[in-house]
Amino acid sequence: MRDLYMKNGQGFILVYSITAQSTFNDLTDLKEQILRVKDASDVPMVVVGNKCDLEDERVVGKDQGQSLANEWRIKFMETSAKKKIGVNEIFFDLVRQINRKQPDTKGGRSGRSSKGKCSIL
């Protein structure tokens, strides 16, 4: 089922918890799986460290997330889904990436596309 989501998805948000090192460690395998399933070397993605509201429980440094994203040449953000910090910005950025990769071919920009799909894994 996960492979099907990856095959059909046009953009991906790779989320880890800043309070759990294991979730951060899983990102590399997840990214590689996406690229393998999509049979592509460049897919719109964002690395997201979630739970930034739990700074006192942090085990994954912001610099670790930023460094990984820099290595992969993709965007990095930290968010709090609970407190709604930065969540909209993730989706705005990912949709912009998708639109740059697959521009509207009908001559006009309606602002909406039935083809745009984002997968959250």
Side-chain angles (χ1 to χ4, degrees):
M1 188 67 133
R2 182 187 256 190
D3 282 4
L4 184 60
Y5 283 121
M6 290 178 184
K7 185 166 181 60
N8 292 323
Q10 294 179 348
F12 300 87
I13 301 171
L14 307 179
V15 181
Y16 68 92
S17 169
I18 68 164
T19 65
Q21 184 71 43
S22 63
T23 62
F24 181 77
N25 296 343
D26 291 340
L27 292 181
T28 299
D29 289 340
L30 184 58
K31 178 184 176 267
E32 288 173 1
Q33 183 180 12
I34 291 167
L35 296 178
R36 180 181 45 78
V37 169
K38 303 270 315 153
D39 193 25
S41 61
D42 183 34
V43 176
M45 292 185 197
V46 179
V47 172
V48 176
N50 191 39
K51 299 186 181 182
C52 69
D53 57 304
L54 300 177
E55 188 62 39
D56 57 329
E57 298 177 38
R58 179 186 288 273
V59 295
V60 181
K62 188 172 186 174
D63 58 326
Q64 288 177 273
Q66 185 66 64
S67 177
L68 184 65
N70 289 347
E71 179 184 329
W72 292 345
R73 295 184 179 149
I74 62 177
K75 181 92 176 214
F76 169 73
M77 296 182 201
E78 284 200 343
T79 63
S80 169
K82 180 179 180 180
K83 295 198 174 185
K84 299 179 181 144
I85 299 170
V87 175
N88 289 338
E89 288 80 4
I90 296 166
F91 289 97
F92 294 150
D93 183 80
L94 190 60
V95 169
R96 279 192 290 271
Q97 288 184 50
I98 292 167
N99 286 340
R100 278 194 301 265
K101 192 163 178 75
Q102 299 177 342
D104 186 49
T105 57
K106 294 182 181 178
R109 292 188 63 121
S110 65
R112 295 183 182 228
S113 171
S114 62
K115 293 182 180 179
K117 298 174 188 172
C118 297
S119 297
I120 303 173
L121 303 173

